[in-house]
Amino acid sequence: MQWLAFFSTMVIITVIIALQWPRMKHYPRKDKGAFLVLLLFGLVLSMFDLKYMNGPTTWVEAIFKPFGQFMEK
């Protein structure tokens, strides 16, 4: 995990919320929730080193490989 990327993303998200939240006073609750969820999603993604992470096919293969060995027996 790259701490510099995480903390810089956290600072940027804090600035975005500080600047945009007063403008969102009249928005519906769902819009405010979606705004926060998307920012939180970006913060969570900044925790991972996505360049070097395996793709979804590798994950599916790792999950189902034991089942394949079980089915061969």
Side-chain angles (χ1 to χ4, degrees), residues 24-73:
M24 296 181 70
K25 189 186 324 183
H26 303 292
Y27 283 30
R29 194 170 180 182
K30 286 182 181 180
D31 289 350
K32 292 177 185 177
F35 177 71
L36 292 175
V37 165
L38 288 173
L39 289 176
L40 181 65
F41 185 66
L43 184 65
V44 169
L45 283 178
S46 73
M47 290 182 198
F48 301 110
D49 194 9
L50 294 176
K51 269 195 269 186
Y52 302 108
M53 239 175 136
N54 293 332
T57 55
T58 309
W59 289 31
V60 169
E61 185 178 305
I63 291 171
F64 290 113
K65 190 173 185 177
F67 292 119
Q69 293 171 351
F70 176 73
M71 296 297 277
E72 288 177 2
K73 290 183 181 181

